[in-house]
Amino acid sequence: MKRRIPILSIVSVFFIVLILLVSCGIATIFTFGSGTVFTDGDTNGDKVGLSLDVDDSLGTLSLIDSGSGPSLMLFYTITDSENPQNFKTAFNTTYKRDFNGVQITSDAVLTVNDITLYRFSDTLGTTFQGPEYIATADVPISPDFNCTLTKTAISGTTVSMDLVFDVGSFTIHNSPKFHRFNGQPFETASTEIRNSSFPDYFIGDTETNMYLHIYGAVNVSKGSFNNIYWTDLVNLGYIKL
């Protein structure tokens, strides 16, 4: 005996599938053109210069909501070596994830070879989060910039890192004076560090130089698109503490 399938059931299934196909549009993916460069500039031990040169040949910058990016995010480690730890691969795997990235939500960002990458805070202990992070372009379609992070004495043996934009129109969120992840200034006396709790300092037991290694990446995550985009994480140089 042949099984009869009611025509009404077939028609119902057809319309359900049709509605799903129509409602599920193709996702809009944000990415920069291949010419985008985020690089280090002048480094002399007391300051680090950095710049962003964006290639908008794909015309995607106009998709970003005004005041929401591209956004600058900076990170640091402190070691007793001039050689920086390479976090690029781990950052790409954990946060960049091709074109489907995730936001930074913790102070301890990554750990590679027992060295942890931390995010800066400011004098108020501000937590920098997306989509604004540390600073955002005032005009999304003109996000190129040059800026400098400079070591500045506070009192005693403590210092801050002051961010100044030399070229480009960016808004710095909260204070431009950067402190450690916990809102405390950077300590430059190694004896003080060894006698207290400084989990972001990776130094040995002997008197030695200390280097604040600066890393940066640019984020885009709010606009007429469906993904969170990160550039590669770049080592921008070090400041000697």
Side-chain angles (χ1 to χ4, degrees):
M1 180 181 294
K2 294 183 179 180
R3 182 182 179 187
R4 295 182 179 180
I5 301 176
I7 295 177
L8 182 60
S9 297
I10 297 175
V11 173
S12 298
V13 171
F14 171 78
F15 277 107
I16 290 173
V17 172
L18 180 63
I19 291 171
L20 289 174
L21 290 174
V22 171
S23 62
C24 295
I26 299 174
T28 300
I29 303 300
F30 181 92
T31 181
F32 286 138
S34 60
T36 299
V37 180
F38 185 47
T39 58
D40 63 306
D42 179 42
T43 301
N44 67 2
D46 288 330
K47 68 178 181 180
V48 168
L50 49 146
S51 63
L52 177 70
D53 181 14
V54 175
D55 168 20
D56 192 30
S57 59
L58 299 179
T60 55
L61 288 175
S62 61
L63 299 176
I64 304 171
D65 287 352
S66 180
S68 299
S71 300
L72 171 67
M73 187 58 177
L74 298 174
F75 314 89
Y76 73 93
T77 61
I78 302 170
T79 72
D80 52 13
S81 171
E82 296 182 48
N83 300 319
Q85 174 61 54
N86 187 349
F87 294 102
K88 179 179 177 179
T89 299
F91 185 86
N92 286 350
T93 300
T94 306
Y95 295 105
K96 186 176 180 181
R97 298 183 179 182
D98 294 324
F99 297 119
N100 190 26
V102 297
Q103 303 289 25
I104 306 295
T105 59
S106 61
D107 292 326
V109 178
L110 290 169
T111 299
V112 176
N113 295 330
D114 297 326
I115 296 178
T116 300
L117 182 72
Y118 282 86
R119 61 181 175 187
F120 285 98
S121 70
D122 62 11
T123 55
L124 302 176
T126 302
T127 299
F128 295 113
Q129 296 185 359
E132 294 84 8
Y133 286 107
I134 285 174
T136 53
D138 293 333
V139 181
I141 60 175
S142 301
D144 295 350
F145 67 81
N146 288 294
C147 56
T148 306
L149 197 63
T150 305
K151 180 176 69 175
T152 305
I154 298 179
S155 63
T157 57
T158 62
V159 298
S160 68
M161 304 298 148
D162 292 3
L163 181 66
V164 176
F165 280 88
D166 306 311
V167 178
S169 181
F170 270 66
T171 296
I172 300 176
H173 301 288
N174 301 296
S175 171
K177 286 185 173 292
F178 296 158
H179 283 190
R180 297 169 53 218
F181 73 96
N182 56 7
Q184 297 300 308
F186 291 93
E187 178 61 59
T188 63
S190 58
T191 52
E192 176 68 22
I193 294 164
R194 292 187 179 91
N195 293 331
S196 303
S197 177
F198 286 81
D200 49 337
Y201 281 65
F202 300 90
I203 60 175
D205 296 328
T206 59
E207 190 72 23
T208 185
N209 292 324
M210 294 181 292
Y211 303 91
L212 177 75
H213 297 278
I214 311 296
Y215 299 80
V218 170
N219 176 271
V220 177
S221 57
K222 189 175 181 181
S224 301
F225 46 87
N226 304 94
N227 64 315
I228 294 173
Y229 176 81
W230 284 102
T231 62
D232 285 338
L233 182 73
V234 177
N235 172 251
L236 300 168
Y238 66 78
I239 292 175
K240 190 174 178 180
L241 295 179

